Amino acid sequence: MADLADKVVAGARTRPDGKVKVTGGFAVSSDLHMEDMLWGATLRSPHASARIVSIDVSKAELVPGIVAVMTSKDLPAKPTYGLLHADQPVLASDVVRFEGDPVAIVAGENLEACRRALRAIEVIYEVLDPVTDPELAEISPPVHPDGNLFRRVVITSGDPEIQGEIIVEGVYEVGMQDQAFLGPESGLAVPDGKGGIDLYVATQGPHQDHRQLAPCLGLEPEAVRVQVAGVGGAFGGREDFSVHPHACILALKTNRPVKMSYLRNESFVGHLHRHPARMRFRHHATRAGDLVKVEAQILLDGGAYASTSAFVASNAARFACGPYKVPNAHVVATCVRTNNHPCGAMRGFGAVQACFGHESQMDKLAAALDMDPLQLRLRNAMQTGDRLPTGQVVHVPAPVRECLEAAAAFPLPPTAVDNQDGYGLPGGAGRTADPSRVRRGVGFAVGFKNIAYAEGYNDDTRARCLLHQGRATITCAVAELGQGFVTISRQIAKAILGVDEIDLAPASTGLIGSAGSSAASRQTYMSGAAVERVCHEVAARAKQSFAQQHSIDPESLLVDGGFIVSKDGSIRIPIAHACPEPIEVEVYHMHPPTAPMDERTGQGDTDVSWLFGAQRAVVDVDLDLGLVRVVQITTGQDVGRALNPVSVVGQIEGGISQGMGLAVMEEVISVNGLVKNPSFTDYLIPTFADMPPVEVSFIEEPEAGAPFGAKGVGETPSLASTAAVAAAIRAATGLDLPRVPIRPEDIVFAASAKPLSAPQFT
Amino acid sequence: MDEQISFTLNVNGHKHEIQSAWLGESLLFVLRERLNLWGTKNACEQGECGSCSVLIDGRLCCSCLEMAAAAVGTDILTIEGLAPNGDLSDIQEAFVEEGGVQCGFCTPGMVVAVHDLLEANPSPSSLEIREALSGNLCRCTGYGRIEAAVRRVVEARHG
Ligand code: FES
Ligand code: FES
């Protein structure tokens, strides 16, 4: 097996879609078009909370080029949807619960006509006081009939009364981050002429879309097909519906293809964000620096609708203590409903917020102990065999120490060597910083999170392989978001079957059952394993067939890296040519079962496996202007085995840039539930000039049960980057800086900063 | 929408008649919706992301900020014009080889911007690369592999 893994790695190739992407020929969902298609557009609530008194669409219907105008009255079937439970209206009927709740949809011959029609719809609202403070949500009037509490997760382990010799307490806050993928939410819905519909859409999970969509359309599941169109990045933001039901409903109504595509300002309300968090931590340790107990209260603002909030809360709770040996813990994570924008999945899923909290605390504890922060982390680092606060034993490689040591091993960058023309100073080419007032700081952070779905959630995938005339066709409904499943699946098939011609069928609900979502770092681990298994099965059948054709005892034959060989060495024939008939096999794959948590104590074997990653950040800070320049980030990443090293590095650098963004610039700013910066002018993401060099060390401890030992890498780099950059800024400035993103004013006016608020310990 | 005009644009060396356009249509809109040149992308339509980058008379522009009607008489080069025969340019080749492409949404604009950078500055320093490409956002890669692609081209061109 080790040989085969080497073969997979040796066969690492460039992206099969690379050529079409660099020449502009790759159609992302917003490029889809048909001759006779209509455009669709959405009218959304301008209020965070309001009662709809009346909607008058009569003028909109008269706009030239408009073919359909629809409100909640015109919905064909189930009026709500949601990933875990259906609490989100397809179109608002009586009330709107956030700025952006859809109220009406239109279809027209061109986009301009649609926009005119939206302006012509008259909605009378009775504006209500929105619930926007998550700390008051549970005692406020219900925002939704389901109430304002999505979930409270409690984890208690060990002795709740025990106290440490050293105790540090902190309150921390994480602002709302946006996935900010570049490709607009978009899709094309095409009626099939038989009452059914095909939706081509940018999505992370066509089957989970399909499951929610058919009931909303009032169609049998077979009459609805969802196919993944070219996806321009996702990062969690395409787990939930965007254009899906609207485009389909308009297409069914008009019996014409309907395309919808959001502009950037609509994108900021058209998908869910990362949950903002308020957190209170109390860490207890011995004088020697061993963790004794962690107490945590984490409050997440889920916004108006449920989405995956219940699982985000669980993740925040399960990973609140960090990848450390923590013998006693009491953690409470609560996710509430408000009239703020709904939040859902984003890369790192609850563990990012928790990591900012526990890592800030580790630095505070190190200071209280007068100990080196890295040494404190190493001293407490979790290992294989340790028990988590959920009671689950970490049974897989847990290279926490190795990740930290690898991040620390890279040489520190020299000071100010690239400051030619001031470009390398904080503030960049603006040259506003005074070099004498620039301070350097170094910070560490380490984090962890689960791979795949947890808490007993049914997590499965399937893959089919057809081998015929030297060509393999793999069908597996994985959404390719840019992460490279198209590359890795071919690498695996090539190593096992030895064929060069490998096609990947479109990811469509019409072709095969679910592969699950491209989320939770799970697709290499899950669907990679399914592809591995199906290819082995095809090879075994080819061997069987070859033995039969030539009347050889199949026991005398072996499959070896693309060949069927006899044990005596006299036969060696490529698998591709061993069988004249087509061979087709489908496998179903599931990871070992996980268990729900005990409601009261949070105990349970909830996870199948974990990812670990550590970062060291080096920053320069201008003390007078509060400008920060991230100079270098180094990282040790637990990857199990890097099957395609270039794409693993790409995942790591991309994840680090998003983590750094949350540390210093990215925040969806919401005032009374209204977002103030829904554009790339005002919501800043790291540019080429902001991004420092990244040095990467893979920690490769192949994991049993993972395909060729490879774990997922999608989320690992995001976990600790934010915390590491924040730690470095604190080291440079000596300030507390308990909130991210750290804005210039947080540094310059730190002395007059308002204290943060977070729930008290219970 | 009320004032309609017709004009001719010179795109990738070919003349295209644009019939009955609204005067205010952006070059991005015309390239995509009227000429079906979908390689030029649209992440923001307000000049912030660079995914709509094209060259107008050799000048790097955000096509979302240019009025199509004002580009009459210029030579417009889009991503589709950079590898007209299907052969990849050395820049495009390097993006693929170095892993500079993930979702690929930023890629056409980024390739056009790199093309422009290396025309003006055949051997840019790391800082010059970062500065020149800082108007092209990429959310997937963190830019590291894109910088590696640019270096690869620079090294190859200098033998
Ligand atoms: S679409 Fe033109 S700069 Fe973003
Ligand atoms: S590769 Fe996705 S935005 Fe650059």
Side-chain angles (χ1 to χ4, degrees):
Chain A
M1 207 45 148
D3 301 350
L4 198 51
D6 291 342
K7 215 171 153 122
V8 175
V9 177
R13 42 171 84 188
T14 58
R15 298 186 65 94
D17 57 9
K19 181 169 175 185
V20 70
K21 283 179 171 174
V22 296
T23 54
F26 179 80
V28 292
S29 55
S30 45
D31 302 336
L32 300 174
H33 54 102
M34 286 175 85
E35 273 309 308
D36 58 337
M37 76 177 194
L38 297 170
W39 281 86
T42 318
L43 182 71
R44 295 173 181 277
S45 163
H47 307 295
S49 176
R51 201 177 314 284
I52 298 175
V53 177
S54 63
I55 306 178
D56 180 356
V57 300
S58 53
K59 293 203 185 91
E61 285 171 336
L62 299 178
V63 171
I66 285 301
V67 182
V69 182
M70 300 176 79
T71 67
S72 66
K73 290 200 310 293
D74 309 307
L75 292 175
K78 188 174 173 186
T80 55
Y81 66 91
L83 271 170
L84 299 180
H85 70 260
D87 72 341
Q88 186 154 4
V90 174
L91 291 172
S93 53
D94 49 346
V95 295
V96 289
R97 298 189 181 88
F98 79 100
E99 175 205 33
D101 233 347
V103 173
I105 45 177
V106 301
E109 299 291 346
N110 57 64
L111 199 47
E112 196 49 41
C114 291
R115 290 183 183 144
R116 288 183 173 206
L118 295 185
R119 283 195 292 273
I121 297 174
E122 290 172 5
V123 187
I124 299 181
Y125 294 100
E126 178 194 339
V127 179
L128 305 172
D129 264 348
V131 176
T132 56
D133 182 345
E135 284 182 71
L136 302 179
E138 286 189 77
I139 54 167
S140 296
V143 167
H144 188 281
D146 292 352
N148 290 354
L149 176 64
F150 289 125
R151 189 174 178 190
R152 182 168 358 262
V153 178
V154 180
I155 299 175
T156 305
S157 69
D159 175 1
E161 303 305 324
I162 199 165
Q163 299 282 310
E165 294 163 322
I166 305 289
I167 300 175
V168 292
E169 186 172 328
V171 173
Y172 305 97
E173 194 171 314
V174 177
M176 183 191 280
Q177 189 179 22
D178 189 70
Q179 296 83 354
F181 43 71
L182 290 201
E185 290 87 341
S186 41
L188 178 67
V190 187
D192 67 5
K194 294 175 288 200
I197 196 144
D198 288 274
L199 174 66
Y200 303 85
V201 69
T203 177
Q204 292 178 235
H207 285 81
Q208 68 192 22
D209 291 345
H210 181 265
R211 174 166 49 76
Q212 299 171 78
L213 197 53
C216 290
L217 304 180
L219 294 176
E220 292 303 318
E222 308 74 57
V224 179
R225 287 151 307 266
V226 179
Q227 181 168 322
V228 181
V231 181
F235 321 114
R238 301 192 205 263
E239 285 274 80
D240 302 80
F241 279 175
S242 58
V243 302
H244 308 47
H246 299 152
C248 290
I249 287 166
L250 288 168
L252 288 169
K253 166 92 171 179
T254 59
N255 202 26
R256 285 175 64 180
V258 172
K259 172 174 173 171
M260 295 184 84
S261 186
Y262 295 167
L263 282 178
R264 185 56 50 182
N265 59 349
E266 188 171 15
S267 175
F268 272 91
V269 299
H271 66 258
L272 290 73
H273 313 285
R274 189 194 292 290
H275 289 71
R278 298 184 189 182
M279 307 181 285
R280 184 182 298 274
F281 281 81
R282 195 185 281 145
H283 277 57
H284 301 246
T286 64
R287 233 177 276 288
D290 294 321
L291 285 172
V292 171
K293 182 168 76 170
V294 174
E295 295 170 86
Q297 279 281 347
I298 299 175
L299 178 65
L300 300 158
D301 185 350
Y305 297 108
S307 182
T308 48
S309 274
F311 285 148
V312 174
S314 171
N315 267 32
R318 300 209 305 292
F319 306 111
C321 297
Y324 301 112
K325 295 178 210 287
V326 177
N328 307 285
H330 184 66
V331 176
V332 181
T334 306
C335 187
V336 294
R337 192 195 302 267
T338 64
N339 290 114
N340 291 319
H341 280 223
C343 291
M346 184 174 172
R347 200 174 197 172
F349 203 77
V352 168
Q353 295 93 323
C355 184
F356 177 64
H358 64 67
E359 288 306 274
S360 300
Q361 281 288 99
M362 291 302 275
D363 286 338
K364 198 171 257 196
L365 183 59
L369 291 162
D370 197 18
M371 202 169 166
D372 175 68
L374 176 62
Q375 291 311 318
L376 178 67
R377 288 174 169 84
L378 291 171
R379 183 181 182 102
N380 288 282
M382 168 190 294
Q383 291 170 319
T384 304
D386 285 339
R387 203 172 274 283
L388 296 169
T390 54
Q392 184 168 14
V393 173
V394 177
H395 57 284
V396 295
V400 179
R401 163 175 283 274
E402 291 78 357
C403 288
L404 280 163
E405 284 173 339
F410 288 102
L412 283 164
T415 319
V417 281
D418 55 356
N419 278 356
Q420 310 117 313
D421 299 335
Y423 191 88
L425 289 171
R431 295 175 211 170
T432 43
D434 175 350
S436 72
R437 295 289 290 154
V438 172
R439 297 288 178 275
R440 176 152 290 190
V442 179
F444 283 93
V446 59
F448 81 133
K449 107 167 257 301
N450 59 314
I451 309 181
Y453 302 142
E455 296 187 75
Y457 193 90
N458 185 24
D459 191 358
D460 58 14
T461 178
R462 57 273 293 146
R464 192 185 307 136
C465 177
L466 168 69
L467 183 65
H468 188 40
Q469 295 182 334
R471 233 188 151 82
T473 305
I474 294 173
T475 308
C476 181
V478 173
E480 171 64 36
L481 316 173
Q483 80 275 37
F485 188 77
V486 291
T487 319
I488 214 87
S489 52
R490 282 179 169 88
Q491 254 176 262
I492 292 172
K494 157 91 183 166
I496 298 171
L497 297 174
V499 292
D500 285 309
E501 305 292 326
I502 302 169
D503 300 317
L504 207 56
S508 168
T509 61
L511 297 178
I512 191 167
S514 175
S517 185
S518 294
S521 308
R522 62 182 284 286
Q523 286 297 17
T524 295
Y525 188 80
M526 294 294 297
S527 297
V531 170
E532 179 191 1
R533 282 181 49 194
V534 81
C535 290
H536 281 309
E537 188 57 36
V538 165
R541 300 248 182 123
K543 182 183 88 165
Q544 205 71 31
S545 157
F546 182 79
Q548 218 160 35
Q549 293 161 50
H550 300 277
S551 310
I552 313 172
D553 175 9
E555 295 301 309
S556 70
L557 300 174
L558 295 171
V559 173
D560 179 24
F563 290 86
I564 292 169
V565 294
S566 59
K567 288 181 182 164
D568 64 9
S570 63
I571 298 170
R572 184 173 172 82
I573 170 155
I575 292 174
H577 301 134
C579 173
E581 302 298 320
I583 302 175
E584 188 170 38
V585 183
E586 182 173 327
V587 301
Y588 171 84
H589 181 72
M590 212 175 144
H591 61 64
T594 58
M597 309 172 101
D598 180 89
E599 291 256 343
R600 205 173 42 82
T601 64
Q603 299 298 294
D605 290 348
T606 53
D607 298 328
V608 64
S609 181
W610 300 270
L611 306 159
F612 303 87
Q615 265 85 329
R616 183 188 72 194
V618 179
V619 304
D620 284 342
V621 183
D622 176 338
L623 299 180
D624 296 330
L625 298 172
L627 300 169
V628 173
R629 172 171 175 254
V630 182
V631 178
Q632 181 204 49
I633 295 183
T634 61
T635 181
Q637 298 272 319
D638 158 43
V639 298
R641 173 105 200 217
L643 298 184
N644 188 317
V646 170
S647 76
V648 173
V649 168
Q651 284 293 309
I652 292 172
E653 290 173 332
I656 285 177
S657 76
Q658 293 179 5
M660 182 193 95
L662 178 58
V664 295
M665 62 181 83
E666 290 186 35
E667 182 174 10
V668 177
I669 296 165
S670 182
V671 178
N672 282 329
L674 307 182
V675 167
K676 297 298 173 193
N677 57 341
S679 72
F680 281 158
T681 309
D682 298 317
Y683 182 94
L684 300 182
I685 64 173
T687 67
F688 227 124
D690 298 311
M691 193 56 196
V694 172
E695 304 284 352
V696 178
S697 260
F698 298 151
I699 308 301
E700 299 196 288
E701 296 190 19
E703 180 169 316
F708 310 102
K711 295 183 175 180
V713 292
E715 294 168 291
T716 336
S718 294
L719 298 172
S721 301
T722 307
V725 171
I729 300 172
R730 289 183 193 125
T733 59
L735 299 170
D736 267 347
L737 304 174
R739 184 184 195 282
V740 283
I742 298 170
R743 299 155 296 193
E745 58 267 37
D746 297 325
I747 295 170
V748 179
F749 303 118
S752 53
K754 268 208 330 246
L756 299 179
S757 169
Q760 296 297 331
F761 294 114
T762 44
Chain B
M1 196 157 169
D2 309 301
E3 194 168 340
Q4 305 220 318
I5 55 165
S6 298
F7 52 89
T8 304
L9 288 184
N10 193 352
V11 183
N12 300 330
H14 300 284
K15 295 219 177 308
H16 294 272
E17 301 298 322
I18 314 297
Q19 303 284 354
S20 337
W22 170 55
L23 182 62
E25 282 177 18
S26 71
L27 179 58
L28 173 67
F29 180 88
V30 168
L31 290 173
R32 289 173 57 81
E33 304 291 338
R34 292 186 181 273
L35 302 181
N36 286 1
L37 292 169
W38 303 100
T40 304
K41 303 296 186 208
N42 60 329
C44 74
E45 304 196 20
Q46 53 173 229
E48 288 293 341
C49 73
S51 34
C52 63
S53 299
V54 299
L55 297 171
I56 300 180
D57 285 339
R59 184 174 55 93
L60 184 66
C61 297
C62 292
S63 60
C64 67
L65 297 184
E66 301 289 332
M67 267 169 64
V72 170
T74 66
D75 283 320
I76 300 162
L77 187 68
T78 72
I79 184 69
E80 288 89 351
L82 283 181
N85 320 316
D87 296 336
L88 298 187
S89 71
D90 54 351
I91 295 169
Q92 290 169 318
E93 189 85 45
F95 266 69
V96 177
E97 292 296 324
E98 293 291 336
V101 181
Q102 289 186 29
C103 83
F105 194 92
C106 69
T107 310
M110 197 71 88
V111 167
V112 170
V114 172
H115 182 92
D116 177 67
L117 162 66
L118 297 184
E119 287 292 300
N121 181 356
S123 42
S125 68
S126 172
L127 279 176
E128 285 167 338
I129 294 172
R130 285 160 180 267
E131 210 278 318
L133 300 179
S134 63
N136 290 74
L137 298 178
C138 173
R139 190 55 159 169
C140 299
T141 65
Y143 309 103
R145 300 308 90 209
I146 296 175
E147 188 178 340
V150 178
R151 287 182 191 290
R152 182 188 179 110
V153 175
V154 171
E155 274 159 35
R157 285 188 183 177
H158 290 267

